[in-house]
Amino acid sequence: SAVISQKPSRDICQRGTSLTIQCQVDSQVTMMFWYRQQPGQSLTLIATANQGSEATYESGFVIDKFPISRPNLTFSTLTVSNMSPEDSSIYLCSARAANEKLFFGSGTQLSVL
Amino acid sequence: DAKTTQPPSMDCAEGRAANLPCNHSTISGNEYVYWYRQIHSQGPQYIIHGLKNNETNEMASLIITEDRKSSTLILPHATLRDTAVYYCIVRAVNTGNQFYFGTGTSLTVIP
């Protein structure tokens, strides 16, 4: 299994500011992903974090709003830019291991005022 | 990826078996069935996955019908800590296919 550390665990931010969420995996994984979970909803895939290249975004998500970096196999960041109250959600980092299982961090609870 | 259909909610008495159904009638031959659960305020947790044979591990059993169009996750002796949202996902392995989560089943274990 993979252990995923995500920080911050929660934050309260002002409208118009940006927040960068960090994700560290304890072992090399094949792929890393970022999900969003809005209140009372299921998980929605934002993007696949590609090592050393631009992330692959799902429909409805764009790089300008959610820039993602993955400088190496075990670390990734997601930035939520120019935040509005509609961005208040839980943001989850995940990683797929060689055994084809997906593991998750504990999430970042973001509230935008 | 094939879509799945799950009941939105279920109840189960503590100590009894919880049987959670999932319909995936458009599943392809190379797609596995995965089950995850999410306890409130935590990241989803892997439970089990399988292709066509029934699978069992320390957490649960997965029963897949012969035509693979549906499956059932069985928690043999449900406890209060099993109260969670359970997600059934189908995806092909060894590909770039991602994990897409549906709406899941909210299971409540009742004392």
Side-chain angles (χ1 to χ4, degrees):
Chain A
S1 64
V3 176
I4 300 177
S5 301
Q6 191 174 331
K7 61 180 180 181
S9 58
R10 61 178 61 240
D11 208 340
I12 301 173
C13 300
Q14 295 297 319
R15 180 195 302 259
T17 63
S18 298
L19 175 71
T20 295
I21 303 168
Q22 298 182 3
C23 178
Q24 178 73 54
V25 187
D26 71 339
S27 57
Q28 290 190 354
V29 292
T30 56
M31 300 184 78
M32 295 182 72
F33 308 94
W34 288 95
Y35 287 83
R36 180 176 73 181
Q37 187 170 30
Q38 295 177 303
Q41 303 295 313
S42 182
L43 285 77
T44 300
L45 180 64
I46 297 173
T48 301
N50 300 309
Q51 186 201 357
S53 64
E54 190 172 291
T56 304
Y57 289 84
E58 297 292 309
S59 176
F61 297 96
V62 295
I63 187 171
D64 290 347
K65 177 66 176 177
F66 298 101
I68 290 170
S69 76
R70 188 181 174 193
N72 57 54
L73 283 174
T74 62
F75 184 78
S76 179
T77 67
L78 167 74
T79 299
V80 185
S81 303
N82 188 25
M83 288 183 286
S84 67
E86 292 70 36
D87 295 319
S88 297
S89 291
I90 298 173
Y91 292 86
L92 292 147
C93 171
S94 65
R96 193 176 85 199
N99 60 11
E100 294 289 330
K101 297 177 184 177
L102 191 67
F103 299 94
F104 283 85
S106 54
T108 297
Q109 174 80 60
L110 172 62
S111 298
V112 183
L113 304 179
Chain B
D1 285 343
K3 294 190 182 299
T4 61
T5 303
Q6 299 178 253
S9 63
M10 293 181 64
D11 292 339
C12 177
E14 187 178 18
R16 303 295 295 270
N19 298 287
L20 292 93
C22 180
N23 182 287
H24 32 79
S25 58
T26 60
I27 192 170
S28 300
N30 65 339
E31 289 181 317
Y32 282 65
V33 180
Y34 285 76
W35 283 85
Y36 280 78
R37 74 179 182 184
Q38 186 176 28
I39 297 171
H40 183 62
S41 299
Q42 299 181 21
Q45 175 191 23
Y46 167 85
I47 300 173
I48 199 167
H49 75 289
L51 182 64
K52 55 183 179 181
N53 297 321
N54 297 338
E55 302 287 344
T56 296
N57 63 20
E58 65 279 4
M59 291 183 67
S61 294
L62 173 60
I63 308 299
I64 303 173
T65 58
E66 190 170 346
D67 64 8
R68 301 209 323 120
K69 293 184 177 182
S70 65
S71 61
T72 301
L73 178 75
I74 301 173
L75 308 178
H77 305 286
T79 70
L80 299 179
R81 288 181 295 180
D82 291 321
T83 293
V85 178
Y86 288 76
Y87 297 99
C88 170
I89 301 165
V90 295
R91 68 174 288 273
V93 299
N94 299 321
T95 69
N97 290 7
Q98 322 309 8
F99 288 77
Y100 294 101
F101 285 73
T103 53
T105 296
S106 178
L107 174 70
T108 301
V109 179
I110 302 169

